[in-house]
Each structure stands twice: as C-alpha cells, then as structure tokens.
Amino acid sequence: MTQSTYTRDELLAAHEQLIDNDCGTADDQLYTDGGVTTIRTDGGDARQPPVVVKVGGAKAVDPAGAVGDVAHLVANGRDVVVVHGGSTAVDETLEALGEEPTYVETPSGVVGRFTDERAMEVFSMVMPGKLNTDLTATLRNAGVDAVGLSGVDGGLLAGKRKSAVRVVEGGKKKIKRGDHSGKIQSVNAQLLETLLSDGYTPVVTVPMLGEETDGSVTPVNADADRAAAAVAGALGAELVVLTDVSGVYEDPDDEATRIDSAATPEKLAEVETAAKGFMTKKVMAAKEALIGGASAVIVSDANLNDPIVAALNGAGTRITPGALGDDAPDTAADSAASVDASALGGDSV
C-alpha cells in the first residue's frame, strides 16, 4: 500500500474541515477539535453566543436527550446554561404529604400556582434540594462539569416579592394574600460568566431572591420559563425552550400547523394568537427574552434524539429579535402590560 504524504498546511486545512456529524447535518455547529465555532455578524466572524436550555418538569418530557446534547455542545466549546422547572414534582410531593396544590386564576385568565408558606417549604425542598441535585449529578455522569445553583445563590435571580395577588374566585375579583412569589428583575450575569469562563456548566433553578419592603430578602417562587428568559437576555444567549410539543401550533391539535419562525411583528402576533394554555407563558417568556437581549428563542420538542442541536438547526418555532419590530417595547412597559401573569409563581396551567 502506498502511503500518501501531505504538507503541514494541507493537514491543517483538512483538520479545520472535520466536523462532528452525529446529528446528520453539515451545519450542526459542532467541531471535533473542541474549539469555539464562529458566526457571521455585520462586523464579521464573532464568537457564538451561549445557549440557555430550559428543560421542562412535566412527566412527558424526557431529559435524556437534552443531557446528551449539553455534553456534546460543551465538549465542542459552546457555553451552555441549563435552567429547569419541576412544578409537577412539587405537586406530587405536596399530595404525598396530604396537601393539595393551590392554583388560582388572574383577572386576565392566566392560571398559575399560589405559593403559600407551606408550599414554599416544599418548593425549596424539591427544586434546589432534589431536582437540581439529581440533574447536576446526571450531567456530571455525562462528562459535564456541572454546578447546581438556585436563584438565591450569589443573588443570581432577584426581584421584588409579591405577597398578594389579584385573583378571580367565584366570579369575583379578590386580593389573595400570603403568596411567596415574585418576578425576576435582575440576573447576576457576572456569576454565570465567571463559571462559564472557568469551564463550568451552570444548572439553574428557582426559587429566586425576593426583596421585602423592609430591605430583607426571602426565597420565593418564580416561573421557570421566565427565569430562563431572564438568564438568556442577560447573557445575550440563544434560548431553547424544550417542551412536550414540537413548537407553537396554529391549531393545538394539529402538529402540521406549526409556525416555524417569527421574524416580523406580524408573525409574532400570529404566534401570540396561536399560543394556548401552557404555551401562553412560554411565548410571553420568549418575548421577554428578546427584549432583554437574547439573540433568538426556539420552542421545540424535548423528546427528539438530539433536541437541543435539532432546535439550533431549524426544529421547532424560532423567534428572532426582528419580531419585536423597530419600536420594540421597553422593559418597563412590557412588565406593566403583563402584571397579572407575572404575579403568579410556578408554571401556568
């Protein structure tokens, strides 16, 4: 057999063309040399933004594929932050303790968890205590140098506590007091960036740090989708929201009606109109992420073989900053417009 010889330049050129083809495409953004890939911007090539992955807590969501993708992306030089929910596990634990979860409806029709003092104790036990620990261990077993964090750690997620919420009970509007929830108003991006620069993969969950009127702080509940949106906005990241459907459908019962992308205000309006039930808050979170500075938001199926890589390469519903238009609403105006929904902690129903 004749052995071929190559110049150093030829070998380097061949090495740069090697890509990891596990997901079957030539543009999967994963490279065998472990380096950081680049993207073309108006100013030329630039480092790819981090990926923030929101993993849902519903029983229908299998995190195995996401764990493998996180390991794959990190091994190939992409910064990843994982944010997870777990409302179902909280409900199951409450029921096992002989207590019923409490859900309330706001005047605008959004249904969400009411987190009283007892529910908050269970929430803190289940979310950072068990689910975050288990997911961090799973990622470490997959070769990821994962670090578990709650929103309380280092003041990662903070905002005003909402101890009372407006609800509708028996057809009447009421003020329900004793809630332990809040809306995230600040993200300690420096903490995340420090961990990422040192090669760690943050695994983030609520509770957040709720600021009381007297200046003290209390751990309180917050919506996990909106926590992921806040993190993605603070890091200028691509946000991948993994759920048990393949995107936003015009007809909730027909997957063929999925809206593939929204890059204009008109298409975003279509997405907002199409979003029903649990998807309403995910689309709201997507909009908040873009307003906050995220580079894109993709809502996609968690149960694909390579769910994160698939989402980054075209699966799901992709919403980009152009959907906000030239006159994007400022953060304050957006917060005011969604005050009813933001008053409720936990996932919407």
Side-chain angles (χ1 to χ4, degrees):
M1 180 176 67
T2 303
Q3 182 174 357
S4 300
T5 59
Y6 300 91
T7 67
R8 182 176 183 277
D9 288 342
E10 287 174 333
L11 288 171
L12 289 173
H15 179 69
E16 289 177 358
Q17 291 176 8
L18 289 174
I19 62 171
D20 188 331
N21 61 359
D22 277 5
C23 61
T25 69
D27 188 28
D28 63 3
Q29 303 175 358
L30 302 177
Y31 293 76
T32 57
D33 64 359
V36 179
T37 61
T38 57
I39 55 172
R40 172 68 66 180
T41 65
D42 291 343
D45 287 343
R47 191 170 184 270
Q48 280 193 311
V51 177
V52 173
V53 182
K54 163 54 173 55
V55 181
K59 284 185 176 180
V61 174
D62 182 358
V67 168
D69 268 2
V70 170
H72 212 163
L73 288 165
V74 170
N76 285 277
R78 194 80 183 262
D79 288 340
V80 180
V81 177
V82 179
V83 181
H84 70 84
S87 187
T88 300
V90 172
D91 286 350
E92 290 174 345
T93 303
L94 281 168
E95 290 166 359
L97 294 172
E99 301 182 30
E100 286 294 323
T102 301
Y103 286 88
V104 293
E105 181 181 354
T106 71
S108 63
V110 176
V111 177
R113 179 189 300 279
F114 182 84
T115 311
D116 60 17
E117 185 175 3
R118 178 57 173 156
M120 191 64 227
E121 291 176 354
V122 173
F123 194 91
S124 296
M125 176 176 67
V126 172
M127 295 290 277
K130 177 172 174 52
L131 297 183
N132 189 267
T133 300
D134 288 350
L135 182 55
T136 300
T138 300
L139 285 163
R140 295 194 68 86
N141 283 331
V144 179
D145 206 353
V147 176
L149 296 167
S150 81
V152 173
D153 298 323
L156 178 58
L157 306 173
K160 299 291 186 184
R161 175 190 171 182
K162 293 181 179 293
S163 59
V165 294
R166 294 183 179 87
V167 302
V168 176
E169 292 182 353
K172 297 181 179 180
K173 296 180 182 180
K174 298 181 179 179
I175 300 294
K176 191 173 180 68
R177 304 187 184 278
D179 194 29
H180 288 65
S181 69
K183 182 181 179 184
I184 298 164
Q185 296 172 314
S186 66
V187 176
N188 187 347
Q190 184 178 2
L191 173 58
L192 296 175
E193 289 165 351
T194 298
L195 290 169
L196 291 169
S197 66
D198 286 341
Y200 294 102
T201 297
V203 183
V204 178
T205 186
V206 289
M208 60 173 275
L209 205 58
E211 300 165 0
E212 304 281 4
T213 54
D214 63 2
S216 63
V217 292
T218 303
V220 296
N221 192 6
D223 178 67
D225 288 317
R226 301 177 87 171
V231 170
L235 295 177
E238 287 187 88
L239 173 58
V240 177
V241 180
L242 295 178
T243 184
D244 58 354
V245 294
S246 67
V248 182
Y249 307 154
E250 292 180 6
D251 179 350
D253 298 320
D254 186 358
E255 187 173 346
T257 66
R258 186 185 73 202
I259 302 172
D260 291 333
S261 63
T264 65
E266 292 75 20
K267 290 298 292 185
L268 178 58
E270 290 182 20
V271 170
E272 291 178 305
T273 299
K276 299 291 189 297
F278 73 94
M279 190 61 73
T280 302
K281 195 172 286 188
K282 294 185 187 299
V283 171
M284 184 185 298
K287 188 173 179 180
E288 290 177 356
L290 294 174
I291 291 170
S295 58
V297 180
I298 309 103
V299 180
S300 192
D301 190 351
N303 299 315
L304 299 176
N305 288 334
D306 302 293
I308 303 171
V309 173
L312 294 173
N313 286 297
T317 298
R318 184 181 186 88
I319 309 172
T320 51
L324 299 177
D326 294 332
D327 300 319
D330 59 42
T331 304
D334 186 72
S335 298
S338 59
V339 63
D340 272 339
S342 67
L344 296 174
D347 295 329
S348 59
V349 178

